[in-house]
Amino acid sequence: MSPEASNAARRPHIHLVSDATGETLNAVATAGLVQFQKSHEEVEVHSWTMVRSAAQMQRSVEAIAKIGGLVLFTIVDPQLRDVLVKGCAKHRIGYIAVLDPVIHAMGKFFGEKARNLPGRQHELDAEYFARIDAMHYTIAHDDGQQADDLDKADIVLVGVSRTSKTPTSIYLANRGYKTANVPIVPGLALPADLHGTCHPLVVGLTTSPDRLVMVRRNRLLAMNEKAETDYVDIEQVRAEIAEARKLCTRYNWPMIDVTRRSIEETAAAILNLYNRRQEQLREKLAEGDGP
């Protein structure tokens, strides 16, 4: 580390240097930092994005040298990498080329040389527009809205109130899956289309009664609503959850307990179910096309 960096480096610093938006680096850094409790709480992350000229890189290196720390980068242009790596070596700053192991392994597997083009993952391709389309569908079909075309969904989430249906739906939509969510409300029938639909995967979300009461109480407090209603009565909540479980069992809908799951973990479990179902459908089609 350079002498001028000694004072600034009392806190750990991580620098994310990218020739694009830096989303990949942010995800990698976050995934790594959560494994280190103390450092995760104290670290200061600096983002140096859209660095696409030697002059920009040189300015970034000079600024990094004044702070010190560890550099993570996804620079693919050889000239820019050279400026960064030589600058880090000069100032004795550690660095990690995050994508190198992945690109190297893929190159060996495909027998093809990487093109070293910056920011290719952010081009407006068909996948991008599919995600936008999925987001529009999901927002329009939140909380049981427009339930007359559920068959156009890839995934439909059902569950009692406050079981993370909406945030999970939005997360799945951002991954490109059209996701509707339908609440299970005591005394109200589910949309008729939901029982007859064959295209989407229907998944029930459930949680523990105690956690659900806590979440609902917080919701009422945030809305300045009356704190004691059937909505937060523990026995009523237990009955709601039990009825929802019976409903999912009746229609053979898989259920996921979200009590101790993050939104990302719930979505991953749903996609495992979805992919398994798609594989089974492909196998059935293949068998039907056979002799």
Side-chain angles (χ1 to χ4, degrees):
M1 182 185 301
S2 61
E4 63 265 33
S6 57
N7 291 329
R10 288 172 185 170
R11 291 184 63 191
H13 294 263
I14 290 181
H15 303 270
L16 311 180
V17 185
S18 171
D19 49 22
T21 62
E23 290 180 18
T24 301
L25 276 175
N26 275 311
V28 171
T30 300
L33 283 171
V34 294
Q35 302 300 323
F36 304 94
Q37 183 175 354
K38 184 177 179 182
S39 297
H40 185 213
E41 294 170 353
E42 298 178 352
V43 72
E44 187 170 344
V45 177
H46 308 266
S47 293
W48 311 87
T49 59
M50 304 302 292
V51 181
R52 294 188 175 178
S53 72
Q56 285 179 309
M57 183 61 76
Q58 188 60 50
R59 288 194 295 270
S60 299
V61 169
E62 290 170 1
I64 291 168
K66 292 179 181 179
I67 302 171
L70 176 67
V71 172
L72 277 63
F73 69 86
T74 53
I75 303 297
V76 294
D77 181 271
Q79 182 185 3
L80 297 184
R81 284 173 65 106
D82 188 58
V83 175
L84 177 59
V85 170
K86 285 182 177 178
C88 287
K90 176 183 176 181
H91 298 287
R92 298 182 181 179
I93 296 171
Y95 60 88
I96 303 170
V98 170
L99 289 180
D100 278 16
V102 178
I103 292 175
H104 178 70
M106 285 185 170
K108 288 185 66 177
F109 179 75
F110 295 123
E112 182 181 347
K113 186 177 179 180
R115 293 181 290 171
N116 295 332
L117 299 175
R120 292 288 287 188
Q121 70 270 37
H122 301 292
E123 289 188 346
L124 300 184
D125 55 11
E127 184 179 346
Y128 170 84
F129 288 107
R131 288 201 307 272
I132 297 300
D133 191 34
M135 190 65 74
H136 287 162
Y137 180 91
T138 299
I139 291 172
H141 293 78
D142 181 43
D143 202 30
Q145 299 181 80
Q146 297 190 27
D148 55 345
D149 64 344
L150 293 177
D151 205 50
K152 294 179 182 177
D154 297 308
I155 298 166
V156 178
L157 304 181
V158 299
V160 300
S161 173
R162 315 314 297 176
T163 48
S164 303
K165 297 186 299 299
T166 294
T168 305
S169 297
I170 297 297
Y171 183 91
L172 290 168
N174 195 47
R175 296 283 301 274
Y177 299 90
K178 292 181 180 178
T179 309
N181 75 81
V182 178
I184 298 176
V185 181
L188 292 181
L190 289 174
D193 284 0
L194 188 59
H195 305 310
T197 187
C198 58
H199 174 256
L201 169 70
V202 183
V203 179
L205 301 185
T206 188
T207 188
S208 71
D210 292 340
R211 180 183 181 278
L212 188 54
V213 168
M214 181 182 69
V215 171
R216 288 183 174 185
R217 284 188 187 279
N218 290 337
R219 174 66 171 169
L220 290 177
L221 287 172
M223 297 174 64
N224 294 318
E225 296 285 346
K226 184 179 176 182
E228 296 302 325
T229 66
D230 286 346
Y231 187 64
V232 292
D233 179 77
I234 188 64
E235 295 304 323
Q236 179 66 29
V237 169
R238 286 195 180 106
E240 280 186 58
I241 292 174
E243 186 59 32
R245 286 184 177 275
K246 289 178 183 176
L247 191 66
C248 290
T249 300
R250 184 187 314 157
Y251 292 104
N252 200 29
W253 295 333
M255 294 198 74
I256 295 174
D257 191 329
V258 303
T259 305
R260 293 180 177 83
R261 294 179 190 261
S262 65
I263 299 300
E264 293 84 358
E265 290 169 332
T266 300
I270 292 168
L271 291 180
N272 282 339
L273 292 170
Y274 179 84
N275 292 331
R276 196 178 311 145
R277 183 173 184 263
Q278 294 301 101
E279 289 174 8
Q280 291 170 349
L281 290 174
R282 283 193 291 269
E283 289 173 0
K284 286 182 179 179
L285 286 173
E287 290 172 1
D289 290 339

